[in-house]
């Protein structure tokens, strides 16, 4: 039994102290993670479908040329940047159970529209507005997770959530291959058009589930499946965490002065702006473009084979998130070291063009490790900003926003479709990005340690000052008692 408890603690975190807390954790795990993971799954399914459609007939049917595929991704990224912070701030004033599903319906309708486009310019317009709607999901969910879970519970839940997006990528390749095989030409529609129709059909029921079942945040939840005792406990168990701010809503106008006066916004934004670009192997479907460019592979194979990278990304994400939660210090930085080293090794293997195809397959699959830092980086930011819920919302949104600001032009410069199959510039850029990630990781680690040290010193000084005041007050009371006693004696002697 002791071994089983240790395994359970490693895999799922600390065992709740009471039966009520165990029941609460089970409920929020089910209803929060199930909806957020399904939402992110459909989100990433849509994003990946564009890449898979491009190598499955869309390029030829829409007569796409040059870097138009990269331009589609760039325009989507611009919409994503525009929507990021407004979406996260809207969660402060509109219930998440309303906002999340509403945005999901918007991008679901636009996904249906993509199946009917006749030229690439129409895709440009659709993808911009899809970017605005889809930007609500990723950072919004990390904000919600940070609102419900303790630090020791947060990493693996973030990992599960992030993995659901990767599963969407994995499923997209399998789905596209199946659609191309069985639906291509049905009702006069190409296989890639059917892909977007099926994506939209998957998205809508998930949005309905969110409207009905999502519990908002602990201080505002009215979920019918939570008892009054569980609602109170959801707040109390977080209030017991040191420096945890569980308030929600009521935006204050000094929020930006407060945020810009600290290092957190700068450090965390820089960290993900840089480290997020290590995901370029997968986000630009470099392996699929490589397979198509070198020839000798069928369309289903081009859709299937990159799934190996995604599978390794899922395994790395879950393993790293679980391990960081199990450590006493909840240190997240080792994951960024691991993914940076993996990215450097993969890039070198691909740069050596005379290497066998088997080694390049290995390199692309190893590159899946670069996704491992996504969940732990946002869990780290949630921990750093735990004492200010408004700052946490803005910092989480800004991290993804600045990453997408870079990502708006990064693929055009370093991973244009015309560079397939070698992507020489891109591989050198990846090596530089991984080295920069190591440096920024050290910087954030140092700044966090310095802040904790200063806070501890301040708390000690306040405790010593309080003790000194109590001591002074005690001495004054003692003198007062002695003076009163002496006065009483003198009065007695006079009598």
């Amino acid at each position: 039994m002791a071994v089983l408890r240790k395994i359970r603690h490693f895999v799922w975190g600390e065992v709740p102290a009471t039966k009520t807390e165990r029941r609460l954790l089970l409920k929020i795990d089910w209803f929060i993670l199930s909806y957020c993971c399904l939402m992110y799954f459909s989100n990433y399914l849509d994003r990946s479908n564009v890449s898979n459609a491009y190598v499955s007939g869309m390029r030829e049917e829409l007569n796409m040329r040059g870097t138009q595929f990269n331009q589609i991704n760039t325009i989507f990224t611009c919409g994503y940047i525009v929507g990021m912070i407004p979406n996260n701030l809207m969660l402060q004033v509109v219930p998440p159970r309303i906002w999340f599903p509403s945005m999901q319906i918007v991008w679901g309708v636009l996904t249906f529209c993509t199946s009917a486009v006749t030229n690439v310019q129409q895709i440009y317009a659709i993808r911009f507005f899809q970017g605005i709607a889809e930007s609500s999901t990723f950072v919004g969910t990390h904000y919600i997770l940070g609102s419900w879970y303790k630090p020791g519970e947060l990493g693996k839940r973030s990992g599960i959530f992030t993995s659901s997006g990767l599963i969407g990528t994995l499923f997209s390749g399998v789905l596209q291959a199946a659609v191309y095989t069985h639906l291509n030409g049905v009702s006069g529609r190409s296989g890639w058009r059917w892909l977007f129709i099926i994506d939209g059909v998957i998205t809508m029921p998930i949005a309905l589930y969110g409207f009905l079942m999502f519990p908002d945040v602990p201080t505002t939840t009215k979920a019918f499946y939570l008892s009054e005792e569980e609602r109170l406990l959801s707040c109390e168990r977080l209030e017991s965490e040191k420096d945890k701010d569980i308030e929600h809503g009521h935006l204050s106008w000094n929020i930006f002065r407060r945020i810009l006066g600290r290092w957190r916004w700068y450090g965390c934004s820089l960290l993900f702006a840089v480290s997020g670009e290590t995901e370029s192997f997968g986000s630009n479907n470099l392996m699929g473009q490589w397979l198509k460019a070198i020839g000798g592979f069928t369309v289903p194979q081009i859709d299937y084979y990159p799934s190996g990278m995604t599978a390794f990304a899922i395994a790395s994400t879950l393993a790293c998130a679980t391990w960081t939660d199990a450590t006493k210090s909840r240190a997240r930085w080792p994951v960024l070291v691991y993914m940076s080293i993996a990215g450097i090794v993969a890039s070198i293997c691909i740069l050596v063009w005379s290497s066998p195809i088997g080694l390049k397959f290995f390199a692309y699959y190893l590159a899946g490790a670069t996704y491992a830092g996504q969940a732990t980086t946002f869990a780290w930011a949630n921990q750093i900003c735990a004492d200010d819920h408004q700052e946490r919302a803005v910092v989480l949104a800004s991290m993804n926003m600045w990453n997408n600001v870079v990502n708006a032009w990064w693929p055009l410069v370093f991973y244009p479709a015309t560079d397939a199959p070698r992507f020489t510039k891109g591989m050198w850029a990846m090596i530089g990005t991984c080295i920069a990630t190591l440096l920024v990781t050290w910087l954030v680690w140092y700044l966090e340690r310095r802040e904790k040290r200063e806070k501890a010193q301040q708390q000690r000084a306040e405790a010593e000052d309080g003790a000194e005041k109590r001591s002074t007050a005690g001495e004054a009371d003692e003198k007062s008692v002695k003076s009163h006693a002496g006065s009483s004696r003198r009065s007695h002697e006079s009598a």
Side-chain angles (χ1 to χ4, degrees), residues 390-453:
Q390 292 182 352
E391 180 183 39
R392 186 162 58 85
V394 174
V395 167
L396 292 173
S398 295
M399 288 168 67
N400 212 23
M401 182 191 74
W402 286 113
N403 171 243
N404 280 277
V405 167
V406 176
N407 207 38
W409 55 269
W410 195 265
L412 290 170
V413 175
F414 296 110
Y415 303 101
T418 50
D419 277 8
R422 296 197 178 198
F423 295 108
T424 303
K425 283 186 300 186
M427 294 306 109
W428 282 111
M430 180 63 68
I431 292 171
T433 302
C434 291
I435 293 171
T437 296
L438 292 172
L439 295 174
V440 180
T441 298
W442 175 85
L443 176 64
V444 173
W445 170 83
Y446 168 77
L447 291 171
E448 183 189 27
R449 286 196 63 180
R450 188 184 69 176
E451 181 181 303
K452 286 181 177 178
R453 193 164 53 244

Side-chain angles (χ1 to χ4, degrees), residues 271-442:
L271 179 61
F272 197 63
V274 175
S275 66
E277 289 309 318
T278 62
E279 299 171 9
S280 293
F281 281 104
S283 61
N284 294 289
N285 193 23
L286 299 189
M287 187 175 185
Q289 293 187 65
W290 167 65
L291 292 170
K292 190 174 181 70
I294 64 175
F297 297 93
T298 65
V299 169
Q301 286 174 328
I302 293 170
D303 290 326
Y304 275 130
Y305 288 161
S307 299
M309 184 200 310
T310 309
F312 188 64
I314 294 168
S316 292
T317 297
L318 292 175
C320 291
T322 301
W323 176 76
T324 57
D325 268 3
T327 59
K328 188 175 181 180
S329 63
R330 316 281 188 233
R332 312 292 181 183
W333 62 265
V335 179
L336 290 151
V337 174
Y338 157 70
M339 58 172 257
S340 298
I341 293 172
I344 290 170
V345 171
S347 300
I348 292 172
C349 290
I350 295 168
L351 277 172
V352 182
W353 193 248
S354 59
S355 61
I357 285 183
L359 181 61
K360 292 185 177 66
F361 265 87
F362 165 79
Y364 275 114
Y365 288 166
L366 177 64
T370 57
Y371 278 93
Q374 193 179 91
T376 49
T377 301
F378 279 84
W380 194 5
N382 259 314
Q383 287 175 216
I384 290 171
C385 303
D387 60 352
D388 188 329
H389 76 283
Q390 292 182 352
E391 180 183 39
R392 186 162 58 85
V394 174
V395 167
L396 292 173
S398 295
M399 288 168 67
N400 212 23
M401 182 191 74
W402 286 113
N403 171 243
N404 280 277
V405 167
V406 176
N407 207 38
W409 55 269
W410 195 265
L412 290 170
V413 175
F414 296 110
Y415 303 101
T418 50
D419 277 8
R422 296 197 178 198
F423 295 108
T424 303
K425 283 186 300 186
M427 294 306 109
W428 282 111
M430 180 63 68
I431 292 171
T433 302
C434 291
I435 293 171
T437 296
L438 292 172
L439 295 174
V440 180
T441 298
W442 175 85

Side-chain angles (χ1 to χ4, degrees), residues 486-495:
S487 174
S488 297
R489 278 197 308 271
R490 283 192 299 271
S491 298
H492 181 72
E493 287 169 0
S494 297

Side-chain angles (χ1 to χ4, degrees), residues 188-236:
R189 292 181 180 273
S190 307
W192 66 268
R193 294 183 185 274
W194 278 109
L195 184 66
F196 289 107
I197 293 172
I198 293 171
D199 184 6
V201 169
I202 290 171
T203 299
M204 292 304 183
I206 298 172
L208 177 61
Y209 175 61
F211 277 123
L212 297 174
M213 308 302 291
F214 198 69
D216 291 329
V217 294
T219 53
T220 63
T221 184
K222 296 178 182 176
F224 67 89
Y225 47 81
L226 294 178
S227 67
E228 187 61 30
E229 182 185 13
E230 288 167 341
R231 291 191 189 104
L232 292 172
L233 179 60
S234 67
C235 296
E236 290 169 359

Side-chain angles (χ1 to χ4, degrees), residues 41-97:
F41 167 83
S42 68
N43 187 305
Y44 247 76
L45 182 64
D46 168 64
R47 295 192 217 180
S48 302
N49 282 348
V50 173
S51 297
N52 287 316
Y54 177 75
V55 296
S56 302
M58 183 174 77
R59 182 180 70 173
E60 292 80 7
E61 191 168 335
L62 299 184
N63 196 28
M64 294 172 63
R65 302 181 182 280
T67 61
Q68 286 183 325
F69 169 69
N70 303 97
Q71 290 168 18
I72 289 172
N73 290 334
T74 296
I75 289 169
F76 175 86
T77 301
C78 290
Y80 206 85
I81 292 166
V82 169
M84 199 102 46
I85 291 179
N87 269 313
N88 234 27
L89 290 177
M90 284 301 293
L91 292 176
Q92 301 283 318
V93 292
V94 178
R97 64 184 168 80

